[in-house]
Amino acid sequence: MNYVQAVEAPERNIGQIKLYDRAEAFAGMRAAGKIAAGCLDMLVAEVRDGVTTGRIDDLARQYVFDHGSLPACVFYRGYRNTVCTSLNHVVCHGIPGDRVLRSGDILNIDVTVIHGGWHGDTSRMYAIGDIPRKARRLMDITYAAMMRGIAAVKPGATLGDLGHAIQSYAESERTSVVREFCGHGLGRVFHDAPNILHFGKPGQGEELKPGMMFTVEPMLNLGSPAVKVLADGWTAVTKDKSLSSQYEHAVGVTENGCEIFTKSPAGLDQPHTLAG
Ligand code: MF3
Ligand code: CO
Ligand code: CO
């Protein structure tokens, strides 16, 4: 796989890694990321016992529109909602609906906005009421795994270094890394090259270069890493029904590390640590 200057490339996934202009693109991604993160901040007070996942989707859609943005997932490959709501053993792409949140549930909310043509894509875990200790531990490890992956992002490092940072930590804590879903290039295109695997070997894979922009979004399971997709064509669940957890940030590679575009303006980057 090779690299292309984003301004010279068509606005679709052409299998090459786009390198974006640091000033203009990063400013756009910062603005989009802030709205996506602000949406997840707003939902912290709304995620509680008795609320449906459909209600959360409605609130998110309104927030996105109120902030001059569009929900990227609506009409994306036939998806109809603003957010994915992935509960308990749902790994990702859970569809909002009439499911009522109950004490003991853990929930991932994943939102992607388009703002000024740029994508902001981020997800966090939320705890509802009293949750089992093992669920809290899984979410702590997932957040730490994502941040270890992000800490490995700098020019000269490789995608394998990033994946290895996540996998080695996750497995040392006796959790497993889902293989079927990955992070992705992000910018003016939603799901762009390259795939960002959350496992790997040091030194392998593409080299990171300044101007690359992508997501880091590991999914960790308490049991086996195996997943299956339900008949709705979206909902991915653990085959063994063990708990699954995910966090996601969007980042851009700088001269000496990376910038996180989707940090919480309110300091609520880990809502699962708050009382639900
Ligand atoms: N936001 C998800 C991601 O992190 C993608 C959801 S696609 C949808 O890449 F269509 F399911 F919404
Ligand atoms: Co993503
Ligand atoms: Co996402």
Side-chain angles (χ1 to χ4, degrees):
M1 190 183 296
N2 56 12
Y3 305 82
V4 62
Q5 294 300 323
V7 285
E8 294 164 9
E11 279 187 24
R12 58 190 163 81
N13 186 343
I14 53 171
Q16 292 174 298
I17 297 175
K18 294 187 180 79
L19 300 178
Y20 284 89
D21 168 66
R22 282 281 309 285
E24 190 213 345
F26 277 43
M29 291 296 281
R30 222 170 271 143
K34 185 176 179 184
I35 293 164
C39 179
L40 296 185
D41 286 352
M42 174 276 295
L43 291 172
V44 168
E46 307 291 340
V47 174
R48 52 179 187 265
D49 190 288
V51 172
T52 66
T53 53
R55 165 86 180 145
I56 289 169
D57 189 63
D58 289 341
L59 290 164
R61 187 190 325 99
Q62 197 57 51
Y63 184 95
V64 171
F65 283 133
D66 287 349
H67 288 77
S69 307
L70 293 170
C73 295
V74 176
F75 303 132
Y76 181 81
R77 295 174 184 244
Y79 197 76
R80 309 201 62 92
N81 295 94
T82 297
V83 294
C84 297
T85 47
S86 301
L87 265 168
N88 301 328
H89 74 294
V90 178
V91 173
C92 63
H93 301 164
I95 302 172
D98 48 22
R99 167 64 151 86
V100 178
L101 299 177
R102 287 299 176 211
S103 182
D105 285 335
I106 64 169
L107 176 70
N108 175 276
I109 305 177
D110 189 341
V111 66
T112 309
V113 309
I114 306 173
H115 184 78
W118 301 100
H119 287 79
D121 185 6
T122 183
S123 83
R124 300 179 201 155
M125 295 301 296
Y126 298 73
I128 293 97
D130 280 331
I131 58 162
R133 188 190 308 266
K134 63 177 186 183
R136 189 166 300 283
R137 180 176 165 274
L138 174 64
M139 295 188 287
D140 288 344
I141 294 164
T142 308
Y143 182 80
M146 173 183 69
M147 295 310 285
R148 284 185 180 225
I150 291 171
V153 175
K154 56 173 188 271
T158 69
L159 287 177
D161 294 338
L162 191 177
H164 180 75
I166 292 171
Q167 180 185 15
S168 58
Y169 171 71
E171 292 178 352
S172 77
E173 295 289 342
R174 303 182 319 282
T175 66
S176 66
V177 178
V178 170
R179 310 300 163 109
E180 285 85 347
F181 299 95
C182 54
H184 47 92
L186 187 75
R188 298 192 81 85
V189 178
F190 188 178
H191 288 122
D192 208 346
N195 286 335
I196 307 295
L197 305 182
H198 303 112
F199 55 93
K201 294 200 168 64
Q204 294 198 346
E206 304 300 326
E207 187 180 322
L208 301 177
K209 294 184 191 284
M212 282 176 68
M213 309 196 297
F214 53 84
T215 69
V216 179
E217 48 179 305
M219 284 141 273
L220 269 49
N221 300 345
L222 276 184
S224 129
V227 305
K228 64 177 183 187
V229 176
L230 300 185
D232 61 22
W234 284 105
T235 312
V237 300
T238 54
K239 269 193 184 159
D240 63 5
K241 299 216 167 59
S242 69
L243 284 179
S244 188
S245 158
Q246 179 179 28
Y247 268 93
E248 174 176 24
H249 268 319
V251 305
V253 182
T254 62
E255 296 306 324
N256 48 19
C258 72
E259 175 175 342
I260 301 177
F261 297 128
T262 45
K263 273 206 90 57
S264 163
L268 300 171
D269 283 298
Q270 299 183 72
H272 82 265
T273 62
L274 309 170

